Amino acid sequence: MSSELSVDHLLGIKYLKPEDIELIFKTADHFKEVINRPIKKVPSLRDITIANLFFENSTRTRLSFELAEKRLSADVINFSAASSSVKKGETLIDTVNNILSMKVDMVVMRHPNPGAGIFLSKHVNASIINAGDGAHEHPTQALLDSYSIRERLGEVKGKKVVIVGDILHSRVALSNIFALKLQGAQVKVCGPKTLLPKHIESLGVEVETNLKAALEWCDVANMLRVQNERMDISYFPSTREYVKQFGLNKKLLESLNKEIVIMHPGPINRGVEITSDIADSEHAIILDQVQNGVAIRMAVIYLLASKIKQ
Ligand code: CP
């Protein structure tokens, strides 16, 4: 196995090779052990400064990147667009170049525009990590999702994973499809036809519009949030109708002839894509996903920083 990533930035899973994912997981295994020790910090990145730039709201991603950076002993600065000079009209490039002039080595960025991280990587001299760009990619989410499947089921290869819900607006879906396919999993998507992108099959996934059939098939169901904030029109008749056809509840889960693992990237719309009794049950690994996010982000930052130091 290679000891370094094939990329200088993490802009999307699309740019990774299977060996990169394997290396990230092995490195995350080490950091997971570190963060379970009484002293949860390592001095690895004492000479690295990282800026977290969030142009969109976040709880899990923002906090776990910050924690991962601090566990690695990096210096950290945080920027939130809502309280910045972006509100006075400053551009993305000017904002980032001003931050980089303070000798920042790495930028973690969440932005509403697809491709914002790719754009930045071509214009600034720093390692860029995409923390979610519009409806495009959310690579560290897909890595922590696959890592959590590996932890629960032993491996990802050969596993049957269904991604349910609002596939059209979901960067989590696209990054998960790329990551799962790279690792040899079988993938189906399931949701209302209006929320399934045209030609999604060209990514090597199958489409299933019947939730019960999809659940009978799968080992893992990843229940996505309905992204109302990205919808300018109605994609289904009503929330009640959506819940009836694509919501996961205890009765439906108990009607299956098997046990399945339930995932959700968060934030959950409780009672819409999943009911509380399922979200909080032993079938769900939702909080394991969040916990694994810290180790995965430590691994990604550490591996990219090793390339800066060379
Ligand atoms: N899963 C995820 O990206 O959550 P946040 O938007 O809270 O970061």
Side-chain angles (χ1 to χ4, degrees), residues 135-136 163 165-178 181 187-209 224:
H136 180 223
I163 305 172
D166 182 2
I167 314 294
L168 185 67
H169 300 100
S170 176
R171 54 194 174 209
V172 175
L174 192 58
S175 288
N176 260 276
I177 290 169
F178 288 138
K181 297 295 295 177
V187 185
K188 282 190 184 184
V189 291
C190 178
K193 281 193 181 134
T194 48
L195 288 176
L196 297 172
K198 278 185 190 146
H199 313 302
I200 184 97
E201 295 92 340
S202 66
L203 298 178
V205 304
E206 286 179 47
V207 172
E208 173 59 76
T209 49
L224 300 183

Side-chain angles (χ1 to χ4, degrees), residues 11-84:
L11 301 174
I13 300 290
K14 187 166 51 187
Y15 306 103
L16 298 185
K17 298 182 169 146
E19 307 84 78
D20 291 320
I21 297 185
E22 208 182 320
L23 176 61
I24 292 167
F25 286 3
K26 286 265 186 268
T27 312
D29 286 343
H30 166 69
F31 286 129
K32 185 146 182 174
E33 195 208 304
V34 168
I35 57 186
N36 283 316
R37 288 182 199 156
I39 296 171
K40 300 174 172 57
K41 267 180 109 145
V42 286
S44 318
L45 299 193
R46 270 194 308 214
D47 49 350
I48 293 281
T49 304
I50 304 176
N52 298 315
L53 312 188
F54 278 74
F55 292 84
E56 244 189 15
N57 294 342
S58 168
T59 298
R60 281 146 288 271
T61 312
R62 187 171 59 82
L63 293 180
S64 74
F65 265 114
E66 187 174 346
L67 195 56
E69 291 151 6
K70 289 180 171 166
R71 297 275 190 251
L72 290 165
S73 305
D75 288 324
V76 179
I77 53 174
N78 290 308
F79 164 94
S80 162
S83 57
S84 75

Side-chain angles (χ1 to χ4, degrees), residues 94-309:
D94 280 343
T95 301
V96 176
N97 274 328
N98 274 276
I99 292 168
L100 291 181
S101 70
M102 300 177 212
K103 306 280 179 216
V104 167
D105 305 290
M106 191 179 283
V107 173
V108 174
M109 185 172 74
R110 171 167 288 189
H111 200 280
N113 294 347
I118 299 167
F119 173 77
L120 206 57
S121 70
K122 290 180 180 155
H123 290 90
V124 302
N125 185 23
S127 184
I128 312 293
I129 300 179
N130 177 8
D133 58 334
H136 180 223
E137 279 226 41
H138 191 350
T140 54
Q141 179 69 43
L143 290 167
L144 72 88
D145 288 343
S146 282
Y147 187 79
S148 302
I149 294 173
R150 171 182 176 265
E151 186 175 70
R152 179 58 76 104
L153 298 179
E155 61 177 343
V156 176
K157 189 174 177 186
K159 296 293 176 288
K160 296 175 180 166
V161 181
V162 64
I163 305 172
V164 182
D166 182 2
I167 314 294
L168 185 67
H169 300 100
S170 176
R171 54 194 174 209
V172 175
L174 192 58
S175 288
N176 260 276
I177 290 169
F178 288 138
L180 291 164
K181 297 295 295 177
L182 270 182
Q183 295 167 91
Q186 296 179 57
V187 185
K188 282 190 184 184
V189 291
C190 178
K193 281 193 181 134
T194 48
L195 288 176
L196 297 172
K198 278 185 190 146
H199 313 302
I200 184 97
E201 295 92 340
S202 66
L203 298 178
V205 304
E206 286 179 47
V207 172
E208 173 59 76
T209 49
N210 181 302
L211 180 60
K212 183 156 164 63
L215 297 176
E216 290 285 8
W217 170 83
C218 74
D219 302 306
V220 179
N222 195 349
M223 307 300 296
L224 300 183
R225 182 172 69 87
V226 175
Q227 304 208 18
N228 290 312
E229 75 277 18
R230 296 194 203 282
M231 296 184 190
D232 44 9
I233 55 165
S234 292
Y235 286 83
F236 44 84
S238 65
T239 301
R240 194 159 162 234
E241 191 65 25
Y242 181 89
V243 172
K244 214 166 125 192
Q245 286 199 48
F246 297 102
L248 180 57
N249 57 46
K250 200 168 177 200
K251 191 169 160 220
L252 179 54
L253 198 62
E254 285 178 351
S255 74
L256 305 178
N257 297 316
K258 59 198 277 198
E259 291 238 333
I260 61 170
V261 177
I262 309 297
M263 302 176 73
H264 194 301
I268 304 173
N269 291 317
R270 285 176 182 262
V272 180
E273 55 268 5
I274 186 169
T275 51
S276 281
D277 48 5
I278 299 300
D280 302 330
S281 74
E282 74 281 9
H283 304 285
I285 58 167
I286 298 168
L287 291 180
D288 298 337
Q289 292 170 257
V290 177
Q291 193 186 80
N292 287 333
V294 179
I296 283 289
R297 289 173 175 127
M298 284 176 84
V300 167
I301 293 165
Y302 174 82
L303 291 165
L304 288 176
S306 335
K307 298 194 85 174
I308 299 172
K309 284 182 183 179

